[in-house]
Amino acid sequence: MTKFLLIVDYSEGVIATPMTEWAPEDIKAHMDYYGALREELLASGELVDQQSLTWPEQAKVVTSNGVNAPVVTDGPFLESKEMLAGYQLVDVESEARAIEIAGKISQVPGPGGVPLEQPIGVRRVMGDADFEEFNPLG
């Protein structure tokens, strides 16, 4: 089994209307879809973790030189559409399966039940073997 991080950002997909302006029933359908997908992936044993994050406006950036107190700012940030909104960490048999799950996430419904077609990043989680070539001892 191989772990993949499925990355959801604030890209709007084919629906430009922010979720904060959706009708309550559309938000419910959106969240119900995610809930059903979560149950499906839990039942198959493929879901390791799934989290949603707060809005980009609530994010902080922390920098530290290890000597002075960390500096905490409200930015600068990437464009909001590039900010991480949430993720699913899955443990699957193949990259093809991770891509299949990412496709299901991408088609989450928006207003009127229209699939968002939101871009979902798929990144394999590196294992020990990935670092062996960088080990100077061998």
Side-chain angles (χ1 to χ4, degrees), residues 26-87:
D26 290 330
I27 295 172
K28 181 176 183 336
H30 181 88
M31 300 311 291
D32 288 350
Y33 180 93
Y34 269 121
L37 182 57
R38 175 183 173 79
E39 292 305 314
E40 174 187 327
L41 296 174
L42 283 171
S44 69
E46 295 171 308
L47 185 64
V48 175
D49 190 22
Q50 174 181 5
Q51 299 295 327
S52 297
L53 302 175
T54 59
W55 302 109
E57 297 80 17
Q58 297 170 310
K60 303 289 184 230
V61 174
V62 177
T63 56
S64 176
N65 63 9
V67 176
N68 300 314
V71 176
V72 181
T73 63
D74 291 332
F77 293 118
L78 306 167
E79 290 185 47
S80 287
K81 68 181 181 181
E82 297 170 340
M83 290 288 293
L84 184 65
Y87 66 88

